[in-house]
Amino acid sequence: MLDANEEQPLQSPAQVELHWIYRGQAQPGCQLVAAVRAAQLPQGSGKAWVACEAVAMRAIRKHLLEDRLMERAALNPQGYWKLGMANHPDHDMGEDG
């Protein structure tokens, strides 16, 4: 998402706290990784589903495992695309680091 002009209304029956992150001219994923690192997460154990550009996904996965000490089984990371690579497979789960 480049800027606020791309925001779309989202409806949910669940309680949702939404934070729009604008990429601007930065590389895809940079602001997303920074936002996850800066986020205040709830106390206790939790789960995380991460689906984004593959390099950003790996950085977020590493942060959640090493810095936030989340359990590996509590993470579901998915690198859906990779900057500069056509037809990146959808099975990049970030196991290699």
Side-chain angles (χ1 to χ4, degrees), residues 25-58:
Q25 300 303 312
Q27 290 290 328
C30 291
Q31 277 83 351
L32 179 59
V33 173
V36 171
R37 286 183 176 148
Q40 289 190 320
L41 301 179
Q43 292 293 323
S45 61
K47 295 185 180 220
W49 178 74
V50 181
C52 56
E53 192 277 333
V55 174
M57 178 273 297
R58 281 194 169 93

Side-chain angles (χ1 to χ4, degrees), residues 18-81:
L18 179 66
H19 300 271
W20 293 98
I21 301 170
Y22 309 118
R23 177 169 58 99
Q25 300 303 312
Q27 290 290 328
C30 291
Q31 277 83 351
L32 179 59
V33 173
V36 171
R37 286 183 176 148
Q40 289 190 320
L41 301 179
Q43 292 293 323
S45 61
K47 295 185 180 220
W49 178 74
V50 181
C52 56
E53 192 277 333
V55 174
M57 178 273 297
R58 281 194 169 93
I60 292 168
R61 179 181 171 275
K62 181 177 179 178
H63 168 72
L64 293 175
L65 288 172
E66 295 178 7
D67 300 329
R68 302 292 183 116
L69 303 175
M70 287 188 77
E71 296 291 327
R72 188 173 302 272
L75 297 178
N76 184 1
Q78 185 74 42
Y80 277 103
W81 62 282

